[in-house]
Amino acid sequence: MRVNVTVNGSQETVDDVWEGESLLYMLRERMGLPGSKNACEQGECGSCTVYLDGVPACACLVAAGQAEGREIRTVEGLAEGRPGDERLDPVQQAFLEAGAVQCGFCTPGLIVQSHDLIERNPAPSDAEIREALAGNLCRCTGYEKILDAVRLAARRKAALT
């Protein structure tokens, strides 16, 4: 099957997609976008979170064929600039600076979900941050550094507006 999608702003055609293949597999294995991680394959951990038509979605739960004609934005697509000369999104930068990145497996999904939260609510409370990230599991950080990163990114965004 052939799938036509817009990924990170670029129109793409992906050939030889198996009918039961997930969007996650297509992104990682066929398109060379390894940012979204394959962890639980059941939509429970959030490691594979991407934007699908502007809404966060677990890519492991979306059949690749369901992405036909749709717009996908991955964690790689949050950075600005040309490949090799990108500037990290403020959320990505905050995760690095706050030490919220440990093994890195959950990080892409947490960043996409945090980015969405801050876009919708530029000054989230701790309770709102926890609620927004409730579907993203991390086994390394204990979450405090992740909360610090989201707070930092939100403060920086507020200072820009």
Side-chain angles (χ1 to χ4, degrees):
M1 161 172 65
R2 173 176 280 173
V3 178
N4 297 292
V5 293
T6 301
V7 178
N8 298 330
S10 177
Q11 182 64 40
E12 303 286 342
T13 299
V14 185
D15 288 318
D16 300 321
V17 175
W18 173 61
E19 291 175 2
E21 190 169 302
S22 70
L23 173 59
L24 177 61
Y25 185 90
M26 185 178 85
L27 291 169
R28 288 180 56 80
E29 306 301 329
R30 298 195 185 278
M31 301 185 75
L33 294 168
S36 304
K37 302 298 186 232
N38 184 6
C40 73
E41 296 184 15
Q42 298 174 15
E44 296 290 330
C45 72
S47 294
C48 65
T49 304
V50 298
Y51 281 110
L52 183 60
D53 292 334
V55 177
C58 289
C60 72
L61 297 179
V62 177
Q66 290 177 298
E68 174 67 33
R70 297 176 80 181
E71 185 174 328
I72 300 153
R73 189 172 181 197
T74 68
V75 69
E76 292 96 340
L78 296 181
E80 296 179 12
R82 297 186 323 258
D85 189 29
E86 300 103 344
R87 280 190 334 265
L88 292 178
D89 180 85
V91 175
Q92 293 169 314
Q93 188 65 42
F95 266 68
L96 288 175
E97 290 176 22
V101 178
Q102 296 286 311
C103 79
F105 222 78
C106 66
T107 306
L110 283 163
I111 287 174
V112 171
Q113 195 66 44
S114 298
H115 182 272
D116 180 65
L117 169 65
I118 294 169
E119 288 295 309
R120 290 182 293 106
N121 179 358
S125 67
D126 282 1
E128 290 167 325
I129 295 170
R130 289 177 189 278
E131 178 68 26
L133 300 182
N136 295 78
L137 302 179
C138 176
R139 295 181 180 211
C140 299
T141 65
Y143 295 97
E144 202 53 47
K145 297 290 185 184
I146 294 167
L147 295 172
D148 291 344
V150 178
R151 290 182 204 114
L152 176 60
R155 282 194 309 272
R156 287 185 176 162
K157 180 170 175 104
L160 295 174
T161 56

